[in-house]
Amino acid sequence: HPDTASTYNNMARVFQSQGNYVKALEYYDKALVIRRKTLGENHPDTAATYHNMAVAFQSQGDYAK
Protein backbone atom coordinates (compact mmCIF):
# COMPACT_ATOMS: atom_id res chain seq x y z
CA HIS A 1 0.00 0.00 0.00
CA PRO A 2 1.31 3.49 -0.79
CA ASP A 3 0.92 4.57 2.85
CA THR A 4 3.25 1.77 3.91
CA ALA A 5 5.78 3.03 1.39
CA SER A 6 5.47 6.54 2.83
CA THR A 7 6.13 5.20 6.31
CA TYR A 8 9.22 3.33 5.12
CA ASN A 9 10.41 6.46 3.34
CA ASN A 10 9.94 8.57 6.47
CA MET A 11 11.79 6.03 8.59
CA ALA A 12 14.62 6.05 6.05
CA ARG A 13 14.84 9.83 6.29
CA VAL A 14 15.26 9.58 10.06
CA PHE A 15 18.02 6.98 9.69
CA GLN A 16 19.69 9.14 7.06
CA SER A 17 19.56 12.22 9.30
CA GLN A 18 21.30 10.15 11.97
CA GLY A 19 24.04 9.17 9.52
CA ASN A 20 22.92 5.54 9.38
CA TYR A 21 23.01 5.28 5.59
CA VAL A 22 22.94 1.50 5.42
CA LYS A 23 19.69 1.36 7.37
CA ALA A 24 18.29 4.33 5.44
CA LEU A 25 18.96 2.63 2.12
CA GLU A 26 17.34 -0.56 3.40
CA TYR A 27 14.14 1.34 4.14
CA TYR A 28 14.28 3.41 0.95
CA ASP A 29 14.53 0.14 -0.95
CA LYS A 30 11.42 -1.20 0.82
CA ALA A 31 9.58 1.99 -0.10
CA LEU A 32 10.80 1.77 -3.69
CA VAL A 33 9.59 -1.80 -4.17
CA ILE A 34 6.11 -0.85 -2.98
CA ARG A 35 5.97 2.41 -4.93
CA ARG A 36 7.08 0.80 -8.18
CA LYS A 37 4.44 -1.90 -7.75
CA THR A 38 1.54 0.31 -6.65
CA LEU A 39 2.28 3.66 -8.29
CA GLY A 40 4.46 2.78 -11.25
CA GLU A 41 7.90 3.80 -12.41
CA ASN A 42 6.86 7.28 -13.59
CA HIS A 43 5.04 8.46 -10.46
CA PRO A 44 6.50 11.47 -8.62
CA ASP A 45 6.68 9.54 -5.33
CA THR A 46 8.72 6.80 -7.01
CA ALA A 47 11.04 9.45 -8.42
CA ALA A 48 11.36 11.03 -4.97
CA THR A 49 12.46 7.70 -3.53
CA TYR A 50 15.13 7.36 -6.22
CA HIS A 51 16.28 10.88 -5.39
CA ASN A 52 16.44 10.14 -1.66
CA MET A 53 18.48 7.01 -2.34
CA ALA A 54 20.86 8.99 -4.55
CA VAL A 55 21.40 11.52 -1.77
CA ALA A 56 22.15 8.70 0.69
CA PHE A 57 24.65 7.13 -1.72
CA GLN A 58 26.24 10.54 -2.32
CA SER A 59 26.54 11.12 1.42
CA GLN A 60 28.53 7.89 1.62
CA GLY A 61 30.74 8.91 -1.27
CA ASP A 62 29.28 6.11 -3.41
CA TYR A 63 28.90 8.00 -6.68
CA ALA A 64 28.79 4.88 -8.86
CA LYS A 65 25.33 3.92 -7.67
Side-chain angles (χ1 to χ4, degrees):
H1 192 275
D3 290 344
T4 304
S6 293
T7 299
Y8 282 140
N9 190 73
N10 292 338
M11 292 172 68
R13 290 177 65 194
V14 171
F15 288 124
Q16 186 170 341
S17 71
Q18 295 172 337
N20 189 345
Y21 301 110
V22 172
K23 197 72 166 175
L25 287 165
E26 176 185 332
Y27 278 82
Y28 282 137
D29 190 56
K30 290 179 183 203
L32 183 62
V33 168
I34 294 168
R35 286 180 168 169
R36 288 175 69 189
K37 183 176 179 180
T38 61
L39 303 174
E41 194 67 36
N42 295 319
H43 193 279
D45 289 349
T46 305
T49 303
Y50 279 120
H51 170 77
N52 293 340
M53 293 175 84
V55 171
F57 284 125
Q58 181 183 25
S59 296
Q60 296 181 93
D62 189 352
Y63 301 103
K65 291 187 180 177

